[in-house]
Amino acid sequence: MPDIPAAPEFEPLAEFTQRAPAELTARAKGFYEEIRRRRTVREFSDRAVPRAAIEWALRAAGTAPSGANLQPWHFAVIASPDAKRRIRLAAEEEERAFYSGRAPREWLDALAPLGTDASKPFLETAPYLVAIFAQKYGVLPDGRRVTHYYVPESVGIATGLLIAALHTAGLATLTHTPSPMGFLNEICGRPKHEKPYLLLVAGYPAGDCKTPRAARIKKPLEEISTWL
C-alpha cells in the first residue's frame, strides 16, 4: 500500500504518447478487433502456463485507477492442486444450492442459453485461479487503518484490465462468482476485511472447447451509447 504524502506532489506527464487522428482511430479499432475475439471459456486445458505471464497481467491490473489511489485490491493466485480441489468442492456446494432453489426462476431462465450448471471441473483443470479480493480498508505499517473509497468500482476496473491483459497474452478466462464466496478467505489465507469479489479462471482452452452461441451476441454501439 502506498504511503500517503502530507501534500500533493506533481510531475510532468512524460509517458503520454500523442498520436495522429488516423493512427489513434486505427489503434482503437485494432483493440476492438482483438478484444471482440474474447470468449468466456468453461472447458480448459491443463497445459502449463508460464507464471511470468500471469505476473505481467497482474502488474497491468495493478495500474488501474482507484479511489484516492488507495488500490483496494488483492489478487490471490492459486496453482496448488490441493487448493484448487478445495475451492471446487466449496464452490460446487454453493452452486448446487443456487441451482436447486436459491436462484429465482427468472435468473435460471436467463442462464439457460449459456448451458451452465453446478458442475465446475474447470476449477481443477485450469492451471491458475485468481481470487480477487476487495479491501474495505488498508493497514499502514504502524497498524493504522485507512478507509478505502469507491472499492467496488476500483476493483471492477482492475478486474477488467486483468481480463484484457490475459486475453491479449493469449489465454482464455472465466469469471466465476459462487455465492457466498467466504470460503475463499479461508483457503487463500486472506483477512476478514477483504471481501471476495470474483474468482477468475485462466489458462488455455481445451482442444475441443465449445462456447455457447448466445454469448457471441453483443449489443450494438447504438444500444450501449448515447452522444450528447
Coordinates of all heavy atoms in Angstrom, one line a residue, residues 114-207:
L114 N -26.8 -20.3 -21.9 CA -25.4 -20.4 -21.7 C -25.0 -21.8 -21.3 O -23.8 -22.2 -21.3 CB -24.9 -19.4 -20.7 CG -25.2 -17.9 -21.0 CD1 -24.7 -17.0 -19.9 CD2 -24.6 -17.5 -22.3
G115 N -26.0 -22.6 -20.9 CA -25.7 -24.0 -20.6 C -24.9 -24.3 -19.3 O -24.2 -25.3 -19.2
T116 N -25.1 -23.4 -18.3 CA -24.3 -23.5 -17.1 C -25.0 -24.5 -16.1 O -26.3 -24.6 -16.2 CB -24.1 -22.2 -16.4 OG1 -25.3 -21.6 -16.1 CG2 -23.3 -21.2 -17.3
D117 N -24.3 -25.1 -15.2 CA -24.9 -25.9 -14.2 C -24.0 -25.9 -13.0 O -23.0 -25.1 -12.9 CB -25.1 -27.3 -14.7 CG -23.9 -28.0 -15.2 OD1 -22.8 -27.7 -14.7 OD2 -24.0 -28.8 -16.1
A118 N -24.2 -26.7 -12.0 CA -23.5 -26.7 -10.7 C -22.1 -27.4 -10.8 O -21.3 -27.3 -9.9 CB -24.3 -27.4 -9.6
S119 N -21.8 -28.1 -11.9 CA -20.5 -28.8 -12.0 C -19.5 -27.8 -12.5 O -19.7 -27.1 -13.6 CB -20.7 -29.9 -13.0 OG -19.5 -30.6 -13.2
K120 N -18.4 -27.7 -11.8 CA -17.3 -26.7 -12.1 C -15.9 -27.4 -12.2 O -15.0 -27.1 -11.5 CB -17.3 -25.6 -11.1 CG -18.6 -25.0 -10.8 CD -19.2 -24.3 -12.0 CE -20.6 -23.7 -11.7 NZ -21.2 -23.1 -12.9
P121 N -15.8 -28.4 -13.1 CA -14.5 -29.1 -13.2 C -13.3 -28.2 -13.6 O -12.2 -28.5 -13.3 CB -14.7 -30.2 -14.3 CG -15.9 -29.6 -15.1 CD -16.7 -28.9 -14.1
F122 N -13.6 -27.1 -14.3 CA -12.6 -26.2 -14.7 C -11.8 -25.6 -13.5 O -10.6 -25.1 -13.7 CB -13.1 -25.0 -15.6 CG -14.3 -24.3 -15.0 CD1 -14.2 -23.4 -13.9 CD2 -15.6 -24.6 -15.5 CE1 -15.3 -22.8 -13.4 CE2 -16.7 -24.0 -14.9 CZ -16.6 -23.1 -13.9
L123 N -12.4 -25.6 -12.4 CA -11.7 -25.0 -11.2 C -10.5 -25.9 -10.8 O -9.6 -25.4 -10.1 CB -12.7 -24.9 -10.0 CG -13.8 -23.9 -10.2 CD1 -14.7 -24.0 -9.0 CD2 -13.2 -22.5 -10.3
E124 N -10.5 -27.2 -11.3 CA -9.3 -28.0 -11.0 C -8.5 -28.2 -12.3 O -7.2 -28.3 -12.2 CB -9.8 -29.4 -10.6 CG -10.3 -29.5 -9.2 CD -10.4 -30.9 -8.7 OE1 -9.5 -31.5 -8.1 OE2 -11.6 -31.4 -8.9
T125 N -9.1 -28.1 -13.4 CA -8.3 -28.4 -14.7 C -7.4 -27.2 -15.1 O -6.3 -27.4 -15.4 CB -9.3 -28.6 -15.8 OG1 -10.2 -29.7 -15.5 CG2 -8.6 -29.0 -17.1
A126 N -7.9 -26.0 -15.0 CA -7.1 -24.8 -15.4 C -5.9 -24.7 -14.5 O -6.0 -25.0 -13.3 CB -8.0 -23.6 -15.3
P127 N -4.8 -24.2 -15.1 CA -3.6 -24.1 -14.3 C -3.6 -23.0 -13.2 O -2.9 -23.2 -12.2 CB -2.5 -23.8 -15.4 CG -3.2 -23.2 -16.5 CD -4.6 -23.9 -16.5
Y128 N -4.4 -22.0 -13.4 CA -4.4 -20.9 -12.5 C -5.8 -20.4 -12.2 O -6.7 -20.3 -13.1 CB -3.6 -19.7 -13.0 CG -2.1 -19.9 -13.0 CD1 -1.4 -20.1 -14.2 CD2 -1.4 -19.9 -11.8 CE1 -0.1 -20.2 -14.2 CE2 0.0 -20.1 -11.8 CZ 0.6 -20.3 -13.0 OH 2.0 -20.4 -13.0
L129 N -6.1 -20.2 -10.9 CA -7.3 -19.5 -10.5 C -6.7 -18.2 -9.8 O -5.7 -18.2 -9.1 CB -8.1 -20.3 -9.4 CG -8.5 -21.7 -9.8 CD1 -9.3 -22.3 -8.6 CD2 -9.3 -21.7 -11.1
V130 N -7.4 -17.1 -10.0 CA -7.1 -15.8 -9.4 C -8.3 -15.4 -8.5 O -9.3 -15.0 -9.1 CB -6.7 -14.7 -10.4 CG1 -6.2 -13.5 -9.6 CG2 -5.5 -15.2 -11.3
A131 N -8.2 -15.5 -7.2 CA -9.2 -15.0 -6.3 C -9.0 -13.5 -6.1 O -7.9 -13.1 -5.6 CB -9.2 -15.7 -5.0
I132 N -9.9 -12.7 -6.5 CA -9.8 -11.2 -6.4 C -10.5 -10.8 -5.2 O -11.7 -11.0 -5.0 CB -10.3 -10.6 -7.7 CG1 -9.6 -11.1 -8.9 CG2 -10.2 -9.0 -7.6 CD1 -10.2 -10.7 -10.2
F133 N -9.8 -10.1 -4.3 CA -10.4 -9.6 -3.1 C -10.5 -8.1 -3.1 O -9.6 -7.4 -3.6 CB -9.6 -10.0 -1.9 CG -9.6 -11.5 -1.6 CD1 -8.7 -12.4 -2.3 CD2 -10.5 -12.1 -0.7 CE1 -8.7 -13.7 -2.0 CE2 -10.6 -13.4 -0.5 CZ -9.7 -14.3 -1.2
A134 N -11.6 -7.6 -2.5 CA -11.8 -6.1 -2.4 C -11.6 -5.8 -0.9 O -12.2 -6.4 0.0 CB -13.2 -5.7 -2.8
Q135 N -10.7 -4.8 -0.7 CA -10.3 -4.5 0.7 C -11.1 -3.3 1.2 O -11.1 -2.2 0.6 CB -8.8 -4.1 0.7 CG -7.9 -5.2 0.3 CD -6.5 -4.8 0.2 OE1 -6.2 -3.6 -0.1 NE2 -5.5 -5.7 0.4
K136 N -11.9 -3.5 2.3 CA -12.7 -2.4 2.8 C -11.8 -1.3 3.4 O -12.2 -0.1 3.3 CB -13.6 -2.9 4.0 CG -14.5 -4.0 3.5 CD -15.3 -4.6 4.7 CE -16.2 -5.7 4.4 NZ -16.9 -6.3 5.5
Y137 N -10.7 -1.6 3.9 CA -9.7 -0.7 4.4 C -8.3 -1.2 4.2 O -8.1 -2.4 4.1 CB -10.0 -0.3 5.8 CG -10.0 -1.4 6.8 CD1 -8.8 -1.9 7.4 CD2 -11.2 -2.0 7.2 CE1 -8.8 -3.0 8.3 CE2 -11.2 -3.1 8.1 CZ -10.0 -3.5 8.6 OH -10.0 -4.6 9.5
G138 N -7.3 -0.3 4.3 CA -5.9 -0.8 4.3 C -5.3 -0.6 5.7 O -5.9 0.0 6.5
V139 N -4.2 -1.3 5.8 CA -3.5 -1.2 7.1 C -2.0 -0.7 6.9 O -1.3 -1.3 6.1 CB -3.4 -2.6 7.8 CG1 -2.7 -2.5 9.2 CG2 -4.8 -3.1 8.0
L140 N -1.7 0.5 7.5 CA -0.4 1.1 7.3 C 0.6 0.3 8.2 O 0.3 -0.5 9.1 CB -0.4 2.5 7.8 CG -1.3 3.5 7.0 CD1 -1.3 4.9 7.6 CD2 -0.8 3.5 5.5
P141 N 1.9 0.4 7.9 CA 3.0 -0.3 8.6 C 2.9 -0.1 10.1 O 3.2 -1.0 10.9 CB 4.3 0.3 8.1 CG 3.9 0.7 6.7 CD 2.5 1.2 6.8
D142 N 2.3 1.0 10.6 CA 2.2 1.3 12.0 C 0.9 0.7 12.6 O 0.6 1.0 13.8 CB 2.4 2.7 12.4 CG 1.3 3.6 11.7 OD1 0.4 3.0 11.1 OD2 1.4 4.8 11.8
G143 N 0.1 0.0 11.8 CA -1.1 -0.6 12.3 C -2.3 0.3 12.1 O -3.5 -0.2 12.4
R144 N -2.2 1.5 11.7 CA -3.4 2.4 11.5 C -4.2 1.9 10.3 O -3.6 1.5 9.3 CB -3.0 3.8 11.3 CG -2.5 4.5 12.5 CD -2.1 6.0 12.2 NE -0.9 6.0 11.3 CZ -0.8 6.9 10.3 NH1 -1.7 7.8 10.2 NH2 0.3 6.9 9.6
R145 N -5.5 2.1 10.4 CA -6.4 1.7 9.3 C -6.6 2.9 8.4 O -6.7 4.1 8.9 CB -7.7 1.2 9.8 CG -7.7 -0.1 10.5 CD -9.1 -0.6 10.9 NE -9.1 -1.8 11.6 CZ -10.2 -2.5 11.9 NH1 -11.4 -2.0 11.7 NH2 -10.2 -3.7 12.5
V146 N -6.7 2.7 7.1 CA -7.0 3.7 6.1 C -8.3 3.3 5.4 O -8.2 2.2 4.7 CB -5.8 3.9 5.2 CG1 -6.2 5.0 4.1 CG2 -4.6 4.4 5.9
T147 N -9.3 4.1 5.5 CA -10.5 3.8 4.8 C -10.3 3.8 3.3 O -9.7 4.7 2.8 CB -11.7 4.7 5.2 OG1 -11.9 4.6 6.6 CG2 -13.0 4.4 4.4
H148 N -10.9 2.8 2.6 CA -10.8 2.8 1.1 C -12.1 3.4 0.5 O -13.2 3.2 1.1 CB -10.5 1.4 0.6 CG -9.2 1.0 0.8 ND1 -8.8 -0.4 0.7 CD2 -8.0 1.6 1.1 CE1 -7.5 -0.5 1.0 NE2 -7.0 0.7 1.2
Y149 N -12.0 4.0 -0.6 CA -13.2 4.7 -1.2 C -13.4 4.1 -2.6 O -12.5 3.7 -3.3 CB -12.9 6.2 -1.3 CG -12.6 6.8 0.0 CD1 -11.2 7.1 0.3 CD2 -13.5 7.1 0.9 CE1 -10.9 7.6 1.5 CE2 -13.2 7.7 2.1 CZ -11.9 7.9 2.4 OH -11.5 8.5 3.7
Y150 N -14.7 4.0 -3.0 CA -15.1 3.5 -4.3 C -14.5 2.1 -4.5 O -13.9 1.9 -5.6 CB -14.7 4.5 -5.4 CG -15.3 5.8 -5.3 CD1 -14.6 6.9 -4.9 CD2 -16.7 6.0 -5.7 CE1 -15.3 8.2 -4.8 CE2 -17.3 7.2 -5.6 CZ -16.6 8.3 -5.1 OH -17.2 9.5 -5.0
V151 N -14.6 1.3 -3.5 CA -14.0 0.0 -3.6 C -14.5 -0.9 -4.7 O -13.7 -1.4 -5.6 CB -14.1 -0.8 -2.3 CG1 -13.5 -2.2 -2.4 CG2 -13.3 0.0 -1.2
P152 N -15.9 -1.1 -4.9 CA -16.3 -2.0 -5.9 C -16.0 -1.4 -7.3 O -15.6 -2.2 -8.2 CB -17.9 -2.0 -5.7 CG -18.1 -1.6 -4.3 CD -17.0 -0.7 -4.0
E153 N -16.1 -0.1 -7.5 CA -15.7 0.5 -8.8 C -14.3 0.3 -9.1 O -13.9 -0.1 -10.2 CB -16.1 2.0 -8.8 CG -17.5 2.3 -8.6 CD -18.0 2.4 -7.1 OE1 -17.2 2.0 -6.2 OE2 -19.1 2.9 -6.9
S154 N -13.4 0.5 -8.1 CA -12.0 0.4 -8.4 C -11.6 -1.1 -8.7 O -10.8 -1.3 -9.6 CB -11.2 0.8 -7.1 OG -11.5 2.2 -6.8
V155 N -12.1 -2.0 -7.9 CA -11.8 -3.4 -8.1 C -12.3 -3.9 -9.4 O -11.7 -4.7 -10.1 CB -12.2 -4.3 -6.9 CG1 -11.9 -5.8 -7.2 CG2 -11.6 -3.8 -5.6
G156 N -13.5 -3.4 -9.8 CA -14.1 -3.8 -11.1 C -13.2 -3.3 -12.3 O -13.1 -4.1 -13.2
I157 N -12.7 -2.1 -12.2 CA -11.8 -1.6 -13.3 C -10.6 -2.5 -13.3 O -10.1 -2.9 -14.4 CB -11.5 -0.2 -13.0 CG1 -12.7 0.7 -13.1 CG2 -10.4 0.3 -14.1 CD1 -12.5 2.1 -12.7
A158 N -10.0 -2.8 -12.2 CA -8.7 -3.6 -12.2 C -9.0 -5.0 -12.7 O -8.2 -5.6 -13.5 CB -8.2 -3.7 -10.7
T159 N -10.2 -5.6 -12.4 CA -10.5 -6.9 -12.9 C -10.7 -6.9 -14.4 O -10.2 -7.8 -15.1 CB -11.8 -7.4 -12.3 OG1 -11.6 -7.5 -10.8 CG2 -12.2 -8.7 -12.8
G160 N -11.3 -5.8 -15.0 CA -11.4 -5.7 -16.4 C -10.1 -5.6 -17.1 O -9.9 -6.2 -18.2
L161 N -9.1 -4.8 -16.5 CA -7.8 -4.8 -17.1 C -7.1 -6.1 -17.0 O -6.4 -6.5 -18.0 CB -7.0 -3.7 -16.3 CG -7.3 -2.3 -16.6 CD1 -6.3 -1.4 -15.8 CD2 -7.2 -1.9 -18.1
L162 N -7.3 -6.9 -16.0 CA -6.7 -8.2 -15.8 C -7.2 -9.1 -16.9 O -6.4 -9.9 -17.6 CB -6.9 -8.8 -14.5 CG -6.4 -10.2 -14.2 CD1 -4.9 -10.2 -14.4 CD2 -6.8 -10.6 -12.8
I163 N -8.5 -9.1 -17.1 CA -9.1 -10.0 -18.2 C -8.6 -9.6 -19.5 O -8.2 -10.5 -20.4 CB -10.6 -9.9 -18.1 CG1 -11.2 -10.5 -16.8 CG2 -11.3 -10.6 -19.3 CD1 -12.6 -10.2 -16.6
A164 N -8.5 -8.3 -19.8 CA -8.0 -7.9 -21.1 C -6.5 -8.2 -21.3 O -6.1 -8.6 -22.4 CB -8.2 -6.3 -21.3
A165 N -5.7 -8.1 -20.2 CA -4.3 -8.4 -20.3 C -4.1 -9.9 -20.6 O -3.3 -10.3 -21.4 CB -3.6 -8.0 -19.0
L166 N -4.9 -10.8 -19.9 CA -4.7 -12.2 -20.1 C -5.2 -12.6 -21.5 O -4.5 -13.4 -22.1 CB -5.6 -12.9 -19.0 CG -5.0 -12.8 -17.6 CD1 -6.0 -13.4 -16.6 CD2 -3.7 -13.6 -17.4
H167 N -6.2 -12.0 -22.0 CA -6.7 -12.3 -23.4 C -5.6 -11.9 -24.4 O -5.3 -12.6 -25.3 CB -8.0 -11.6 -23.7 CG -8.4 -11.6 -25.1 ND1 -8.9 -12.8 -25.7 CD2 -8.2 -10.7 -26.1 CE1 -9.1 -12.5 -27.0 NE2 -8.7 -11.3 -27.2
T168 N -5.1 -10.7 -24.2 CA -4.0 -10.2 -25.1 C -2.8 -11.0 -25.1 O -2.2 -11.2 -26.1 CB -3.7 -8.7 -24.7 OG1 -4.8 -7.9 -24.8 CG2 -2.6 -8.1 -25.7
A169 N -2.5 -11.6 -23.9 CA -1.3 -12.5 -23.8 C -1.6 -13.8 -24.6 O -0.6 -14.5 -25.0 CB -1.0 -12.8 -22.4
G170 N -2.9 -14.2 -24.8 CA -3.2 -15.4 -25.5 C -3.8 -16.5 -24.6 O -3.8 -17.7 -24.9
L171 N -4.4 -16.1 -23.5 CA -5.0 -17.0 -22.6 C -6.6 -16.8 -22.6 O -7.1 -15.7 -22.9 CB -4.5 -16.8 -21.2 CG -3.0 -17.1 -21.0 CD1 -2.6 -16.8 -19.6 CD2 -2.7 -18.6 -21.3
A172 N -7.3 -17.8 -22.2 CA -8.7 -17.8 -22.0 C -9.0 -17.6 -20.5 O -8.2 -17.9 -19.7 CB -9.4 -19.1 -22.5
T173 N -10.2 -17.0 -20.3 CA -10.6 -16.7 -18.9 C -12.1 -17.0 -18.7 O -12.8 -17.2 -19.6 CB -10.4 -15.2 -18.5 OG1 -11.1 -14.4 -19.4 CG2 -8.9 -14.9 -18.5
L174 N -12.4 -17.2 -17.4 CA -13.8 -17.3 -17.0 C -14.0 -16.6 -15.7 O -13.2 -16.7 -14.8 CB -14.1 -18.8 -16.8 CG -15.4 -19.1 -16.0 CD1 -16.6 -18.8 -16.8 CD2 -15.5 -20.6 -15.6
T175 N -15.0 -15.8 -15.6 CA -15.4 -15.1 -14.4 C -16.4 -16.0 -13.7 O -17.4 -16.3 -14.2 CB -16.0 -13.7 -14.7 OG1 -17.1 -13.8 -15.6 CG2 -14.9 -12.8 -15.3
H176 N -16.0 -16.3 -12.4 CA -16.9 -17.2 -11.6 C -17.2 -16.6 -10.3 O -16.3 -16.1 -9.6 CB -16.1 -18.6 -11.4 CG -17.0 -19.6 -10.7 ND1 -18.3 -19.8 -11.0 CD2 -16.6 -20.4 -9.7 CE1 -18.7 -20.8 -10.2 NE2 -17.8 -21.2 -9.4
T177 N -18.5 -16.6 -10.0 CA -18.9 -15.9 -8.7 C -19.9 -16.8 -8.0 O -21.1 -16.4 -7.8 CB -19.6 -14.5 -9.1 OG1 -20.6 -14.8 -10.0 CG2 -18.6 -13.5 -9.6
P178 N -19.4 -17.9 -7.4 CA -20.3 -18.6 -6.5 C -20.7 -17.7 -5.3 O -19.9 -16.9 -4.9 CB -19.4 -19.8 -6.0 CG -18.0 -19.3 -6.2 CD -18.0 -18.4 -7.4
S179 N -21.9 -17.9 -4.8 CA -22.4 -17.0 -3.7 C -23.0 -17.8 -2.6 O -23.9 -18.7 -2.9 CB -23.4 -16.0 -4.3 OG -23.9 -15.2 -3.3
P180 N -22.5 -17.6 -1.4 CA -21.4 -16.7 -1.0 C -20.0 -17.3 -1.3 O -19.9 -18.5 -1.5 CB -21.7 -16.6 0.5 CG -22.3 -17.9 0.9 CD -23.1 -18.3 -0.2
M181 N -19.0 -16.4 -1.2 CA -17.7 -16.8 -1.5 C -16.7 -16.7 -0.3 O -15.5 -16.7 -0.4 CB -17.1 -16.0 -2.6 CG -17.7 -16.2 -4.0 SD -16.9 -15.4 -5.3 CE -17.4 -13.7 -5.1
G182 N -17.3 -16.7 0.9 CA -16.4 -16.6 2.1 C -15.4 -17.7 2.2 O -14.3 -17.4 2.9
F183 N -15.6 -18.8 1.6 CA -14.6 -19.9 1.7 C -13.3 -19.5 1.1 O -12.3 -20.1 1.5 CB -15.2 -21.2 1.1 CG -15.5 -21.0 -0.4 CD1 -14.5 -21.2 -1.4 CD2 -16.8 -20.7 -0.8 CE1 -14.8 -21.1 -2.7 CE2 -17.1 -20.6 -2.2 CZ -16.1 -20.8 -3.1
L184 N -13.3 -18.5 0.2 CA -12.0 -18.1 -0.4 C -11.1 -17.5 0.6 O -9.9 -17.6 0.5 CB -12.3 -17.2 -1.6 CG -12.9 -17.8 -2.8 CD1 -13.3 -16.8 -3.9 CD2 -11.9 -18.9 -3.4
N185 N -11.7 -16.8 1.6 CA -10.8 -16.2 2.6 C -10.0 -17.2 3.4 O -8.8 -17.1 3.6 CB -11.6 -15.4 3.6 CG -12.2 -14.1 3.0 OD1 -13.1 -14.1 2.3 ND2 -11.6 -12.9 3.4
E186 N -10.7 -18.3 3.7 CA -10.1 -19.4 4.5 C -9.0 -20.1 3.6 O -7.9 -20.3 4.1 CB -11.1 -20.4 5.0 CG -10.5 -21.5 5.7 CD -11.5 -22.6 6.1 OE1 -12.7 -22.4 5.9 OE2 -11.1 -23.6 6.7
I187 N -9.4 -20.5 2.4 CA -8.5 -21.2 1.6 C -7.3 -20.4 1.2 O -6.1 -20.9 1.2 CB -9.2 -21.8 0.4 CG1 -10.3 -22.8 0.8 CG2 -8.3 -22.4 -0.6 CD1 -11.2 -23.3 -0.3
C188 N -7.5 -19.1 0.9 CA -6.4 -18.3 0.5 C -5.7 -17.6 1.6 O -4.7 -16.8 1.4 CB -6.9 -17.2 -0.5 SG -7.7 -17.9 -2.0
G189 N -6.1 -17.7 2.8 CA -5.5 -17.1 4.0 C -5.6 -15.6 4.0 O -4.7 -14.9 4.4
R190 N -6.7 -15.1 3.6 CA -6.9 -13.6 3.5 C -7.7 -13.1 4.7 O -8.6 -13.8 5.2 CB -7.6 -13.2 2.2 CG -6.9 -13.6 0.9 CD -5.5 -13.2 0.9 NE -5.3 -11.8 1.1 CZ -4.1 -11.2 1.4 NH1 -3.0 -12.0 1.5 NH2 -4.0 -9.9 1.5
P191 N -7.4 -11.9 5.2 CA -8.1 -11.4 6.4 C -9.6 -11.1 6.1 O -10.0 -11.0 5.0 CB -7.3 -10.1 6.7 CG -6.7 -9.7 5.3 CD -6.4 -11.0 4.6
K192 N -10.3 -10.9 7.3 CA -11.7 -10.7 7.2 C -12.1 -9.4 6.5 O -13.3 -9.3 6.0 CB -12.3 -10.8 8.6 CG -12.3 -12.2 9.2 CD -12.9 -12.2 10.6 CE -12.9 -13.6 11.2 NZ -13.5 -13.6 12.5
H193 N -11.3 -8.4 6.6 CA -11.7 -7.1 6.0 C -11.5 -7.1 4.4 O -11.8 -6.1 3.8 CB -10.8 -6.0 6.5 CG -9.4 -5.9 6.1 ND1 -8.4 -6.6 6.7 CD2 -8.8 -5.3 5.1 CE1 -7.3 -6.4 6.2 NE2 -7.5 -5.6 5.1
E194 N -11.1 -8.3 3.9 CA -11.1 -8.4 2.4 C -12.3 -9.3 2.0 O -12.5 -10.4 2.5 CB -9.8 -9.1 2.0 CG -8.6 -8.2 2.2 CD -7.3 -8.8 1.6 OE1 -7.3 -9.9 1.1 OE2 -6.3 -8.1 1.7
K195 N -13.1 -8.8 1.1 CA -14.3 -9.5 0.6 C -14.0 -10.1 -0.7 O -13.6 -9.4 -1.6 CB -15.5 -8.5 0.6 CG -16.7 -9.2 0.1 CD -17.9 -8.2 0.0 CE -19.2 -8.8 -0.4 NZ -20.3 -7.9 -0.5
P196 N -14.2 -11.4 -0.9 CA -14.1 -12.0 -2.2 C -15.0 -11.3 -3.2 O -16.2 -11.1 -3.0 CB -14.5 -13.4 -2.0 CG -14.3 -13.7 -0.5 CD -14.7 -12.4 0.1
Y197 N -14.3 -10.9 -4.3 CA -15.0 -10.1 -5.4 C -15.4 -11.0 -6.5 O -16.5 -10.9 -7.1 CB -14.2 -8.9 -5.8 CG -14.8 -8.0 -6.9 CD1 -15.6 -7.0 -6.5 CD2 -14.4 -8.2 -8.2 CE1 -16.2 -6.2 -7.5 CE2 -15.0 -7.4 -9.2 CZ -15.9 -6.4 -8.8 OH -16.4 -5.6 -9.8
L198 N -14.4 -11.8 -6.9 CA -14.6 -12.6 -8.1 C -13.5 -13.7 -8.2 O -12.4 -13.5 -7.7 CB -14.6 -11.7 -9.4 CG -14.9 -12.3 -10.7 CD1 -15.6 -11.3 -11.6 CD2 -13.6 -12.7 -11.5
L199 N -13.8 -14.8 -8.7 CA -12.8 -15.9 -9.0 C -12.6 -16.0 -10.5 O -13.5 -16.3 -11.2 CB -13.3 -17.2 -8.4 CG -12.4 -18.4 -8.4 CD1 -11.1 -18.1 -7.6 CD2 -13.1 -19.6 -7.9
L200 N -11.4 -15.7 -10.9 CA -11.1 -15.7 -12.3 C -10.2 -16.9 -12.7 O -9.2 -17.2 -12.1 CB -10.3 -14.4 -12.7 CG -10.0 -14.2 -14.1 CD1 -11.3 -13.9 -14.9 CD2 -9.0 -13.0 -14.3
V201 N -10.7 -17.7 -13.6 CA -10.1 -18.9 -14.1 C -9.3 -18.5 -15.3 O -9.8 -17.8 -16.2 CB -11.1 -20.0 -14.4 CG1 -10.4 -21.3 -14.8 CG2 -12.1 -20.2 -13.3
A202 N -8.0 -19.0 -15.4 CA -7.1 -18.6 -16.5 C -6.3 -19.8 -17.0 O -5.8 -20.6 -16.2 CB -6.2 -17.4 -16.1
G203 N -6.2 -19.9 -18.3 CA -5.4 -20.9 -18.9 C -5.7 -21.0 -20.4 O -6.3 -20.1 -21.0
Y204 N -5.2 -22.1 -21.0 CA -5.5 -22.3 -22.4 C -6.9 -23.1 -22.5 O -7.2 -23.9 -21.7 CB -4.4 -23.2 -23.0 CG -3.1 -22.6 -23.1 CD1 -2.1 -23.0 -22.2 CD2 -2.8 -21.6 -24.0 CE1 -0.8 -22.4 -22.2 CE2 -1.5 -21.0 -24.1 CZ -0.5 -21.5 -23.2 OH 0.7 -20.9 -23.2
P205 N -7.6 -22.8 -23.6 CA -8.9 -23.5 -23.8 C -8.6 -25.0 -24.2 O -7.5 -25.3 -24.8 CB -9.6 -22.8 -24.9 CG -8.5 -22.1 -25.7 CD -7.4 -21.8 -24.6
A206 N -9.4 -25.9 -23.8 CA -9.3 -27.3 -24.2 C -9.3 -27.4 -25.7 O -9.9 -26.5 -26.4 CB -10.4 -28.1 -23.6
G207 N -8.7 -28.4 -26.3 CA -8.6 -28.6 -27.7 C -10.0 -28.7 -28.4 O -10.1 -28.2 -29.5

